[in-house]
Amino acid sequence: MGKRDYSLLGPDATRAVETGLAAAAWYHTDVPRRGMKALMQREDGPAIRDSVILYGCMIVFAGIGIALWPGWWSAPFWLAYGVLYGSASDSRWHECGHGTAFRTKWMNDVVYQIASFMIMRNSATWRWSHARHHTDTCIVGRDPEIAVMRPPQFVKLIGSFFGIPEVIDFVPRIIRNALSGPTPQERTFVPESEWGKVRRVAQAYCAIHAATLALALWTGSILPLMVIGLPRIYGAWHHVLTGLLQHGGLADNVIDHRLNSRTVLMNPISRFIYWNMNYHVEHHMFPMVPYHALPRLHDAIRHDLPAPDTSMLSAYRQVWPAFRRQLRHEDYFLKRALPPTAKPYREDLHRISPGTPVGPATPPHALPAE
């Protein structure tokens, strides 16, 4: 059996198109029209409240950190600032990129741009990258946002908790974007009309980071980098901790989000940082439902979904062993059990394996337990 080729220009990308996995019709739980209309109602209030809390806390933590610098008493405040900068920004660009966090468009756009810069993702590229992620979730060769490829690379996974692989990838990519626009792979999902914007955004990012670095060199202190740049590294751990649970260890090349996405119940602080993206099956099924309505959406469709994991710890007790098995058995995945009230997985919501000839695909399966 062939290895998976995650390149957006490789044979698995071609196979996904030829077999109908690309841009396929996904399964959705039935929700009454009136109920869905209510759930999709956008509001400014919740996101304004959360944004005031988030950016207010960041200003306070950074201010105290600067006042106590370079003493060790500043460390707790920088750590707190880093989590909000390097982790909460991940959920903010995501939700505002969907245009659902706020009702007012410009508010979504402002927070999206700020959060994209902090998380070091070109805002003009990632809007389209994420659209592809939702169209072809975990489809090998199509989804540019698969966090854990098979077999898993554990050194890279551990490094991700410190933001190292992402920052190493960001620096040459943003310079290349600034000079010549999107990369060849990015051009598979970014419309040509947006290539100029990709370049302009990258140039702005480069200018801000260069100015911050120059200020640090001029003052002979890393303090400016503690405010801009370094928090993306030392504050990344929470968004990685939660992000790996979104699809980690689950099926790929399927078109039922109950198979490839995971809902995890979390504590209120993590939910604030993560902006309710722990309701991830629900979000992928109905991405236009605002983050603040996801708990209500969960209650409305939970009868048709796998039971949520009760905590991050309980989820990782399944995920890490699955990652270890995928080192030896690339096709292994965790198949989520459905409640008796759920509609069964449809056999035509198929799964294909890399290296198989184009044609009829095999139904979802998992290797037997060892």
Side-chain angles (χ1 to χ4, degrees):
M1 184 173 293
K3 296 290 185 181
R4 286 165 171 76
D5 185 340
Y6 289 91
S7 166
L8 303 186
L9 301 171
D12 281 280
T14 302
R15 187 176 299 112
V17 173
E18 292 174 339
T19 57
L21 278 174
W26 288 72
Y27 173 80
H28 293 87
T29 301
D30 292 330
V31 179
R33 182 180 180 85
R34 179 176 296 180
M36 180 52 63
K37 185 176 180 179
L39 288 166
M40 291 177 62
Q41 187 68 38
R42 301 180 190 182
E43 304 176 37
D44 285 335
I48 290 176
R49 175 201 64 209
D50 290 346
S51 297
V52 168
I53 294 172
L54 173 66
Y55 294 119
C57 285
M58 289 181 68
I59 292 170
V60 170
F61 292 149
I64 296 174
I66 292 170
L68 297 177
W69 183 265
W72 282 105
W73 286 108
S74 68
F77 299 98
W78 287 120
L79 291 173
Y81 174 78
V83 171
L84 300 182
Y85 186 113
S87 288
S89 57
D90 184 61
S91 59
R92 269 57 182 182
W93 80 259
H94 174 266
E95 281 300 280
C96 292
H98 279 283
T100 57
F102 299 87
R103 181 178 180 178
T104 303
K105 182 180 183 301
W106 71 262
M107 294 183 182
N108 281 309
D109 291 340
V110 168
V111 174
Y112 175 74
Q113 295 295 337
I114 294 172
S116 295
F117 171 80
M118 290 195 296
I119 202 65
M120 292 186 175
R121 291 173 181 164
N122 188 312
S123 61
T125 301
W126 278 78
R127 194 182 295 275
W128 297 98
S129 168
H130 199 65
R132 170 68 70 83
H133 170 65
H134 272 272
T135 302
D136 297 326
T137 308
C138 297
I139 304 298
V140 177
R142 293 286 297 176
D143 186 351
E145 298 181 13
I146 296 177
V148 184
M149 301 177 183
R150 303 188 204 175
Q153 300 176 21
F154 277 94
V155 172
K156 183 177 180 181
L157 284 180
I158 294 171
S160 292
F161 283 90
F162 305 96
I164 296 172
E166 292 79 9
V167 173
I168 290 175
D169 176 73
F170 169 78
V171 174
R173 183 184 296 269
I174 203 69
I175 293 174
R176 180 170 182 173
N177 286 165
L179 295 174
S180 59
T183 66
Q185 293 210 56
E186 289 170 343
R187 293 184 183 199
T188 66
F189 54 80
V190 178
E192 187 172 355
S193 60
E194 297 289 304
W195 292 0
K197 181 183 288 187
V198 170
R199 187 176 179 181
R200 291 190 297 273
V201 169
Q203 290 169 346
Y205 285 15
C206 288
I208 295 171
H209 284 293
T212 305
L213 180 59
L215 182 60
L217 293 173
W218 182 65
T219 59
S221 171
I222 66 167
L223 185 57
L225 298 175
M226 292 293 290
V227 179
I228 297 176
L230 286 179
R232 175 61 179 85
I233 298 176
Y234 68 79
W237 63 270
H238 190 278
H239 96 77
V240 177
L241 184 72
T242 52
L244 290 179
L245 297 177
Q246 293 178 357
H247 310 285
L250 301 176
D252 59 12
N253 291 337
V254 295
I255 50 177
D256 188 331
H257 292 113
R258 299 176 300 175
L259 282 168
N260 68 12
S261 304
R262 176 185 287 106
T263 289
V264 183
L265 303 182
M266 295 182 181
N267 64 77
I269 295 176
S270 288
R271 280 181 53 191
F272 173 79
I273 295 172
Y274 200 25
W275 245 13
N276 282 347
M277 281 299 103
N278 52 299
Y279 295 103
H280 216 65
V281 181
E282 296 83 348
H283 168 69
H284 267 277
M285 269 198 186
F286 301 103
M288 299 313 293
V289 172
Y291 77 96
H292 53 79
L294 288 178
R296 289 188 287 128
L297 175 61
H298 171 73
D299 289 338
I301 66 174
R302 63 189 306 172
H303 66 278
D304 196 40
L305 307 183
D309 287 282
T310 56
S311 67
M312 285 188 277
L313 179 60
S314 68
Y316 271 108
R317 284 174 175 165
Q318 302 175 52
V319 170
W320 283 114
F323 286 164
R324 289 198 300 269
R325 287 198 65 184
Q326 286 175 349
L327 288 173
R328 292 173 289 127
H329 305 294
E330 188 175 321
D331 286 329
Y332 175 78
F333 66 93
L334 296 165
K335 186 171 182 180
R336 309 287 279 172
L338 292 176
T341 51
K343 289 185 179 180
Y345 297 123
R346 286 166 38 198
E347 291 299 315
D348 59 326
L349 297 181
H350 57 258
R351 174 179 186 273
I352 61 171
S353 299
T356 55
V358 175
T362 54
H365 68 281
L367 298 180
E370 290 183 337

